[in-house]
Amino acid sequence: EAMAKLKPNRRTAIVALTHDPKIDDPALIAALQSDAFYIGALGSKKTHAKRHERMTAAGFDAATIGRIKGPVGLPIGARSPAEIAVAVLAEVVKTLHESEVEKVPVIGPTSTMPTGSIATDPSMRNDPTRERSSCGTSRVIVVRTAGSA
């Protein structure tokens, strides 16, 4: 219900934090039906495997379910809540920039720029048809219970 009001789009990251399928699953289902560039959920590999089973039972294919990052966050050895938050946000930023690099064209048919490089042709700066790269998301949606910190 809340996800429908928020209307996630291609500039939205969604992270489920409750560890409770009754809360996380409806949010993840809505996220999978959206264009959100990042979908993640806390939990162990075992919890994530069970999540996959529930999403399969809900009718999603493996490729769609594969959009859910879990366990969420870059593998930096995070232990404390603050470290986990940094790992999660780092993965969100990494995913954002990876998706932007894929959309920005490399100029010229004989370009020697490596795959994933961003073209820096000054003539494209004011081109309204060019897919823009920016340094932020429109929002990060965090699904959590009222009592969680």
Side-chain angles (χ1 to χ4, degrees):
E1 182 179 311
M3 293 294 285
K5 290 178 186 176
L6 293 170
K7 298 179 183 148
N9 59 43
R10 65 183 187 89
R11 301 291 296 169
T12 305
I14 300 166
V15 183
L17 303 175
T18 70
H19 296 280
D20 184 347
K22 290 178 280 186
I23 297 170
D24 286 351
D25 286 3
L28 291 171
I29 288 169
L32 290 172
Q33 294 170 337
S34 77
D35 290 330
F37 78 90
Y38 179 91
I39 303 169
L42 279 181
S44 65
K45 289 178 184 177
K46 183 178 175 182
T47 299
H48 195 61
K50 289 179 183 177
R51 184 179 300 121
H52 270 252
E53 291 172 9
R54 293 191 306 274
M55 294 297 119
T56 299
F60 292 101
D61 62 30
T64 302
I65 296 167
R67 291 179 59 204
I68 303 171
K69 308 277 194 243
V72 72
L74 290 181
I76 60 171
R79 301 270 187 258
S80 71
E83 291 172 338
I84 292 167
V86 168
V88 170
L89 287 176
E91 187 173 48
V92 168
V93 171
K94 177 179 183 272
T95 303
L96 172 67
H97 291 297
E98 285 172 347
S99 67
E100 287 178 343
V101 167
E102 291 169 6
K103 293 176 188 171
V104 178
V106 174
I107 306 303
T110 59
S111 175
T112 57
M113 294 176 72
T115 303
S117 294
I118 298 176
T120 56
D121 181 348
S123 68
M124 291 192 65
R125 287 191 188 134
N126 297 317
D127 181 355
T129 63
R130 180 177 162 259
E131 184 72 32
R132 301 268 179 226
S133 174
S134 68
C135 59
T137 62
S138 61
R139 60 191 159 202
V140 175
I141 298 171
V142 177
V143 179
R144 64 181 183 92
T145 60
S148 62

